[in-house]
């Protein structure tokens, strides 16, 4: 009796990211050309971890050949976690075996990568697993310079939004507080803020303290507002990474424990109106100085996740999908896909575990890098040269209706707590470049013809 041919399943977990459909399409085409049947598992692990195998769709070249142009997912995704109980993990494996699946491609971020690793372990050789790294947060532990797919498109769309807000801010003389997605790492917020030339960008990695105080975030923004007002500018845009919420000191958000959490134990950041919290605190702090500024909060993230992929992500994800299918068809197993210098390199599950958390490693922004240094130099925020220059201090104090001594007393800790400001950096770079955005925004005066 001939054996029933085995199938390849594709499953997507976590949140959407531009390029999912490109992975699905490329992997399906590669497998079908080898005569392998492909199925899509709807809504991640949600149904198969309960033993329900009815939420499955057949994938073939005819129905996926042009889906790579579009955002979203050809089949729905979800965040359900099969690893919380041994029963649900075993049910997920059993469901795949019932579907006659012996090859599984998972698409997702760090949580889905961990689930993929545990499914492979539980399958004990019966199912081979390869993971494709997906997240607009750019926080999977890939080699330096290699983005997770979806990040470049999300940054591109985010920059367009922030650019429009910058024009609106200048036109209406107001400040926007833009909260960008990024559950733990600040890659997306920093990428958007740096590319758009936002006035200031705050990410969790810049704070050395384990817990961040809300007043610290507020004072950085207030310092930027005061500095900009001293130049006669009443507008600006601050970009804040939503990952700041998870690092906030609980005493600053007493009701945070009541906020809903997802299946992986993470705070549902959408449930915390971080922008409104910061806006209210900034307004109160400015009021203490007798300063009035119009503040508007804006959350961006959902607008980015299902955008049509830009050509970079479209091409990148087709490479990832092809490599994932090729690897698993050649009996590869237990690895995450990466493309390095144009070559496929498998990153094996055993090598991407964090020894402390025993979960997949999270890539944070390297605040010691030249890239971050440059981003900071183009932000308009208080630095040690401001504090050390009596003339500058007098200007800032005048904006606040206070004395230079009191102003320094209020804000000196920002500089003392900032590792970047404590570096021995040449004064012209520190003081000059930190005001470059201001210079760029000033109207260009035409020179009179001789």
């Amino acid at each position: 009796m001939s054996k029933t041919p085995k199938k390849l399943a594709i499953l997507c977990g976590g949140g959407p990211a531009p390029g999912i459909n490109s992975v699905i399409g490329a992997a399906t085409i590669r497998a079908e050309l080898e005569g392998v049947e492909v199925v899509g598992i709807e809504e991640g692990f949600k149904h198969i971890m309960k033993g329900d195998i009815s939420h499955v769709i057949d994938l073939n070249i005819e129905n996926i050949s042009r889906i790579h142009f579009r955002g979203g997912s050809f089949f729905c995704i979800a965040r359900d976690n099969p690893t919380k109980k041994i029963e649900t993990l075993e049910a997920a494996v059993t469901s795949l075996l019932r579907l006659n699946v012996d090859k599984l491609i998972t698409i997702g971020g760090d949580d889905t990568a961990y689930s993929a690793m545990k499914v492979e372990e539980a399958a004990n050789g019966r199912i081979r697993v390869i993971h494709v790294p997906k997240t607009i947060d750019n926080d999977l532990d890939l080699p330096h310079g290699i983005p997770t797919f979806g990040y470049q498109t999300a940054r591109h769309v985010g920059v367009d939004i922030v650019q429009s807000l910058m024009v609106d801010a200048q036109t209406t003389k107001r400040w926007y507080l833009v909260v960008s997605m990024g559950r733990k790492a600040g890659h997306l917020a920093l990428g958007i803020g740096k590319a758009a030339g936002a006035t200031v960008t705050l990410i969790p990695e810049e704070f050395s303290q384990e817990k961040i105080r809300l007043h610290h975030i507020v004072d950085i923004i207030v310092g930027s507002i005061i500095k900009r007002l001293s130049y006669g500018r009443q507008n600006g845009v601050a970009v804040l990474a939503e990952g700041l919420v998870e690092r906030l000191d609980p005493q600053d958000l007493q009701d945070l424990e009541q906020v809903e959490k997802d299946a992986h134990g993470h705070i549902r950041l959408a449930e915390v109106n971080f922008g409104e919290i910061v806006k209210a605190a900034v307004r109160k702090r400015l009021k203490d100085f007798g300063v009035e500024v119009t503040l508007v909060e804006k959350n961006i993230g959902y607008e980015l996740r299902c955008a049509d992929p830009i050509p970079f992500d479209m091409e990148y994800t087709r490479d990832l999908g092809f490599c994932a299918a090729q690897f698993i068809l050649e009996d590869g197993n237990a690895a995450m896909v990466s493309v390095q210098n144009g070559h496929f390199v498998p990153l094996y599950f055993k090598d991407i575990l964090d020894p402390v958390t025993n979960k997949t490693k999270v890539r944070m922004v390297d605040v010691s890098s030249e890239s971050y240094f440059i981003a900071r130099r183009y932000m308009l925020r208080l630095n040690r040269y401001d504090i050390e220059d009596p003339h500058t201090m007098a200007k800032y104090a005048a904006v606040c209706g206070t004395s230079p001594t009191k102003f320094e007393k209020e804000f000196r800790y920002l500089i003392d707590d900032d590792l970047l400001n404590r570096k021995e950096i040449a004064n012209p770079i520190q003081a000059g470049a930190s005001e470059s955005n201001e210079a760029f925004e000033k109207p260009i005066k035409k020179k009179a013809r001789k």
Side-chain angles (χ1 to χ4, degrees), residues 120 125 127-130 327-328 331-336 346 348-349:
E120 191 279 328
I127 302 172
R128 298 194 302 280
V129 181
I130 180 77
F327 180 71
I328 208 164
D331 297 332
N333 186 36
M336 184 165 72
Y348 290 96
F349 289 156

Side-chain angles (χ1 to χ4, degrees), residues 211-321:
K211 292 297 181 183
I212 304 169
R213 295 306 304 268
L214 179 61
H215 74 81
H216 198 158
I217 295 170
V218 168
D219 277 355
I220 292 174
I221 298 170
V222 168
S224 294
I225 292 173
I226 291 170
K227 186 171 183 174
R228 198 153 159 80
L229 284 170
S230 75
Y231 297 148
R233 311 286 290 187
Q234 299 177 358
N235 63 283
V237 174
V239 180
L240 313 176
E242 68 175 0
L244 291 163
V245 174
E246 289 204 343
R247 292 270 305 277
L248 277 179
D249 193 308
Q251 61 185 306
D252 290 326
L253 290 171
Q254 295 295 335
D255 60 345
L256 199 59
E257 293 302 316
Q258 282 70 53
V259 173
E260 185 181 353
K261 297 184 179 180
D262 66 21
H264 297 274
H266 306 303
I267 295 169
R268 290 192 183 276
L269 296 178
E271 301 294 319
V272 180
N273 199 333
F274 184 47
E276 283 290 348
I277 292 169
V278 173
K279 183 178 79 170
V282 168
R283 181 180 285 131
K284 183 178 183 301
R285 182 72 161 139
L286 288 171
K287 188 176 180 180
D288 292 340
F289 291 113
V291 176
E292 288 190 16
V293 173
T294 301
L295 301 169
V296 180
E297 63 88 20
K298 169 70 176 175
N299 283 281
I300 60 173
Y302 292 112
E303 302 95 327
L304 317 181
R305 301 194 308 172
C306 285
D308 291 345
I310 61 173
F312 176 93
D313 274 323
M314 210 180 299
E315 178 187 3
Y316 179 34
T317 48
R318 297 196 90 187
D319 288 349
L320 293 175

Side-chain angles (χ1 to χ4, degrees), residues 14 25 27 30 50 52 94 130-131 139 153-155 164 172 199 223 244 249 339 374 389 397-398 408 433 438:
R30 183 71 198 94
K50 300 173 185 174
D52 183 353
T94 300
I130 180 77
H131 181 71
D139 62 356
T153 298
R155 183 180 68 153
S164 294
T172 59
T199 315
L244 291 163
D249 193 308
V339 175
I374 293 168
D389 181 15
E408 179 177 355
E438 171 65 26

Side-chain angles (χ1 to χ4, degrees), residues 112-136:
T112 306
Y114 181 74
S115 295
M117 181 185 69
K118 301 309 288 185
V119 165
E120 191 279 328
E121 288 178 3
N124 196 25
R126 293 171 293 175
I127 302 172
R128 298 194 302 280
V129 181
I130 180 77
H131 181 71
V132 181
K134 161 209 62 85
T135 172
I136 64 172

Side-chain angles (χ1 to χ4, degrees), residues 25-35 61 321-323 325-326 329-330:
T28 299
I29 291 169
R30 183 71 198 94
E32 271 227 325
L33 292 176
E34 294 294 328
I61 294 175
F322 178 96
C323 290
Q326 185 72 23
L329 290 171
E330 294 178 349

